[in-house]
Amino acid sequence: MDRLHRTVVMDEFGLIGTYLKPLARGCGPALGLGDDAAVLTPPQGHDLVFTKDMMIAGRHFFADDAPDLIARKLLRVNLSDLAAMGAAPLGYLLGLAFADHLDPDFTRRFTQGLRQDQTAFGIGLYGGDTVSGAGKLCLSLTAIGAVPSGLALKRSAARAGDHIWVSGTIGDAALGLRCLTGGSRREPHLIDRYYLPEPRLALGQALRSVAHGCADVSDGLLADLGHICDESGVGARLESARTPLSDAARRIIGDDRDLLAIALAGGDDYELVFTAPPEKDSLLAEIASRLAVRLTKIGVITDGAGVSLLDSDGGVWHIDRKGFQHD
Ligand code: ADP
Ligand code: MG
């Protein structure tokens, strides 16, 4: 431990210098966090893509969660938004609002998590702001990415007749949260998926010029597919029996329809749900095998509006999503 770690009181500049500047080292736009703002020269022929997600202690994470895991999830949920747009990440801005006073110990462990993931994803810290006295620990991250001009994937581009696809498995994070809150027995795979989503960046980029509508699954499969439908002015028919479930999710769900409903309506999976015309089926199979990402066809886009979910007998299954809504 160096002298600063042992000092209980650390001012904003000490905190920035000790923990944040190292995350900006070698990152051109950051100007070493020594200036008032970052300066980014956009990559030629690209559009810039911006997204921000905020997390509040006690609402979006448990106050006693490991700070490095909180950091990695905060970064990854933002990268997932970039993935959903088909963008490659460049860097990020960080907002730290401490409940009471600046907390060097939290910051040290939080920035360790950021360092691990920013290295893994090849990005750097561009800047941010640090305040105290917010009442609750509030974290905010803005991620910036780039996509070849005009090729960003949009929620608004789904068309009737498209097949609906989803990556990975669905429901793990919502069921993992249930494990953590005592609602189900502990399944480590589900808990890991809740804490550490995998942003589907390579998939998002491979879907440029292939997918029509695309979104990441943050609010739940039904809600996020609903957003694609609303933005595109189409409807969707989804077959619940086709939902890709992990072995751990399958073990927890058994034949409990309420738990399957949690998988379909719960959030936080950070998979991609997208639509593509049927003639792209074989290309999508190739992309799935090249990237070693499971892709599952779960339904079809229709004329009309809204998502209609079919149960395993082909009947319409109405899931009340109110119990699952979060922001
Ligand atoms: P100002 O008061 O001019 O807004 P600050 O003193 O807040 O600037 O910040 C000084 C530098 O430190 C800036 O480059 C800013 O981007 C950076 N910085 C402050 N807080 C953070 C943070 N939480 N994460 C990353 N960079 C930060
Ligand atoms: Mg400031």
Side-chain angles (χ1 to χ4, degrees):
M1 294 231 285
D2 63 28
R3 188 185 58 80
L4 286 168
H5 287 152
R6 271 184 272 111
T7 309
V8 179
V9 182
M10 184 185 260
D11 70 9
E12 185 185 341
F13 301 105
L15 196 98
I16 294 168
T18 305
Y19 300 116
L20 297 168
K21 282 193 176 175
L23 298 181
R25 206 165 283 148
C27 171
L31 306 177
L33 298 191
D35 223 308
D36 291 304
V39 180
L40 174 67
T41 305
Q44 228 181 358
H46 284 69
D47 295 332
L48 292 177
V49 181
F50 303 85
T51 181
K52 176 191 284 292
D53 264 296
M54 302 180 68
M55 302 198 331
I56 300 176
R59 182 161 169 79
H60 302 101
F61 59 92
F62 298 104
D64 59 354
D65 280 347
D68 59 322
L69 283 183
I70 298 171
R72 295 172 72 193
K73 183 162 182 179
L74 178 66
L75 183 57
R76 285 165 179 238
V77 301
N78 277 282
L79 297 184
S80 175
D81 280 327
L82 295 183
M85 304 297 291
L90 296 172
Y92 64 102
L93 296 146
L94 177 67
L96 289 175
F98 292 101
D100 181 11
H101 55 276
L102 300 177
D103 184 342
D105 185 53
F106 175 88
T107 311
R108 178 176 57 79
R109 295 192 286 157
F110 183 81
T111 48
Q112 273 168 2
L114 286 178
R115 163 162 305 284
Q116 182 176 349
D117 268 4
Q118 73 170 45
T119 305
F121 294 107
I123 58 178
L125 179 62
Y126 285 179
D129 200 19
T130 306
V131 298
S132 49
K136 273 189 180 155
L137 178 62
C138 302
L139 306 164
S140 154
L141 196 143
T142 301
I144 299 149
V147 63
S149 289
L151 292 190
L153 296 169
K154 310 249 176 67
R155 291 179 175 182
S156 56
R159 290 179 215 154
D162 281 356
H163 288 158
I164 303 166
W165 296 82
V166 72
S167 65
T169 54
I170 287 299
D172 295 326
L175 294 169
L177 180 58
R178 229 180 111 82
C179 298
L180 287 170
T181 53
S184 299
R185 67 174 183 279
R186 291 178 79 86
E187 283 277 358
H189 173 74
L190 302 181
I191 293 171
D192 287 353
R193 290 265 292 158
Y194 166 78
Y195 276 120
L196 214 54
E198 189 62 47
R200 297 294 190 186
L201 286 159
L203 177 61
Q205 290 163 51
L207 292 178
R208 296 171 190 155
S209 314
V210 178
H212 281 166
C214 183
D216 70 330
V217 179
S218 54
D219 295 334
L221 178 63
L222 295 176
D224 290 305
L225 180 58
H227 296 147
I228 291 179
C229 289
D230 293 347
E231 293 299 318
S232 300
V234 295
R237 197 165 58 238
L238 200 64
E239 293 177 50
S240 65
R242 290 182 179 236
T243 313
L245 298 172
S246 66
D247 292 342
R250 235 175 248 292
R251 278 196 296 275
I252 291 275
I253 292 171
D255 346 293
D256 188 328
R257 259 167 77 100
D258 290 343
L259 291 179
L260 182 57
I262 287 177
L264 289 163
D268 269 354
D269 285 315
Y270 300 100
E271 295 294 345
L272 296 185
V273 56
F274 59 93
T275 81
E279 59 267 25
K280 301 287 187 192
D281 277 13
S282 55
L283 177 56
L284 286 164
E286 269 170 47
I287 290 172
S289 86
R290 175 162 54 85
L291 300 179
V293 176
R294 180 169 169 181
L295 292 182
T296 308
K297 217 186 305 176
I298 52 172
V300 65
I301 295 292
T302 60
D303 289 319
V307 177
S308 87
L309 178 68
L310 303 183
D311 63 19
S312 47
D313 303 324
V316 175
W317 181 14
H318 183 76
I319 293 179
D320 183 7
R321 273 190 244 146
K322 282 198 194 74
F324 304 99
Q325 271 167 6
H326 71 123
D327 53 16

